[in-house]
Amino acid sequence: MGTLFRKRPIRYPLLILSLLMTASIIALIMWKPVIGVIYGILVLTTAIITWKYEKNTYDETEKHIAMLSYRLENVGEKALLEMPIGIILIDDSSLIEWANPFIKRMLEDESLIGRDLSYVSDELSNFINHEDFNDLNITIKNRQYRVFHKQDEKLLYFFDITEQVEIEELYYEDRTVLAVLFIDNYDEITQGMNDQSRSQMNTLVTSLVNKWGSQHDIYIKRISSDRFMAVMNESILANLESKKFAILDDIREITAQQNLSLTLSIGVGAGSPSLTELGELAQSSLDLVLGRGGDQVAIKQPDGKVKFYGGKTNPVEKRTRVRARVISHALRDLIQDSDQVFVMGHKMPDMDAIGASMGVRKMADMNKVDGYVVIDFEHLDNSTNRLMQVVKEKSELYDRFLSPETVLSKMTEKSLVVVVDTHKPSMTIDERIINKASKIVVIDHHRRGEEFIDSPMLVYMEPYASSTAELVTELLEYQPKHDKMTMLEATALLAGIIVDTKSFTLRTGARTFEAASYLRTNGADTVLVQKILKEDLNTYLERAQIVKTTEFIHEGVVIAHGEKGQIYNSVLIAQTADILLSMKDITASFVVAHRSDGKIGISARSLGEMNVQVVMEALGGGGHLTNAATQLEVHTIEEAISRLKDTIEDVLEGSKE
């Protein structure tokens, strides 16, 4: 039989013991015959009984093993055929050689032998030849199965997980979601109202929000004059996302009919079982929305992922200078508590970044603190190069422009770093400066994106502003007047405003003209601005070549692209998008071209009818509703245009829903 039991090894010690007893009996008979005979009879009787007991035990055990083997074989065969697990045996060609009854019942087909595995599932057939294939979830006849693959045996096991999936879906759909709703411009609109008008407006807004809540089974509670708290679950949130949060459009349109023009911002916290964390996520989302100009929804998950909806209107310009004065005084205190101030803009700085940097550096002088501008002299466009040539003539000012390496060696724990015209660490001239700094201030006019500098001490972000230069100019007005602004510094700030507003034609508000007037009063030279912003003939011709490729993809929406393999300056790409926007029948323009960093850049512009920021954010970029950009890590212009077209389609379809 081959087993240890069936070799009966117990017999060997019994045999030896019997031989020893026989020898002892013979010896005892020779010594004491009578005693030896009696002892021999007893020993012989005991030995016979022992051997017989060993044989009976063996026979009984053998019968038990045989019966157990039969039962196991019988049960195993029944389990293989009747257990609620599907089993399929396939050959090298993925043809079914054998299937248990469960599979046949599952597929409602008794004739599976010889069929290709694709008959069971195309998805399964596609993955079966992958070496890393171990398990896979598939759907067969509206039921979910987890399939395990044993490659050596060519066996497939099917486990029905339909109930498990349904329970998981029910769990996730029933998770709590918290939201904070904020009326963006409540204070501005109610400022001049009497009590009756304010009450009527509050009633209108409350009824609209409560109606929206009752339609979607959301619990809503007004917690202050301009805030609501909402409680829902994940399934309700998914429904709201599918409708693109229509409440934003309803509030905007209905209140506009009453000459109120209110907009709503919503911050949503989701994806966490902790109510405390959900509340923090909701408030963080609302802060993010307000930093982007309001009239939007932000949904934030614990892993930091954020989804945005809305943002169809330009942010409303504030009518008070109180915040600018408060921020200016806070910045003054931070500067005075520092030993040095380093101002840094974004990579390939434009006139807005350079002008704003020079303005903040001037604040340091006004507070009698050494201030420096961080600049990469090797990566400047034509306009900023011309400005730097003018600055170079003023040696005392030119010495205040330092390379990133020099700044890193000069920085101390008390140094203050001010980031202007961007809030993304990856976009700054040198991210190492951000990482080394212990005190950081952010001044920006772009809508806030997902990526943001960690733990800044002060943030001044106003998406309604035309440019960062405008914001910095307002801050300068409230700084100590120990050191007056020079003509060149005022001119640089004015140039930044002119460039970002396209000579006061786009994103221009009353505050923009006030800032320009202040700079003009301080000696800004408009003629010098024109000289700095002049372009050469080759640049003009390059833009013309791109314009020739313009293609309408939707009514009012065009895409143009540069030549294959030719490197274009990012400023030139942006300027071309601006030029296209100035042409008849064009309301949104996208320009695609190769950049010097190996990526393909896309610059987007619109007149406000289309939110190009949403398009660029979907491709990993950002910006404003009317002015945005991104860079794609793709190899060809065609691939970039294809992705851009798909994204534009998605955004346009979403705006129609």
Side-chain angles (χ1 to χ4, degrees), residues 329-352:
H329 289 171
L331 181 56
R332 177 198 62 195
D333 294 340
L334 288 172
I335 291 174
Q336 291 176 352
D337 289 338
S338 305
D339 59 352
Q340 300 170 102
V341 177
F342 298 100
V343 193
M344 178 170 59
H346 51 74
K347 292 182 174 73
M348 290 293 294
D350 54 11
M351 289 303 302
D352 187 31

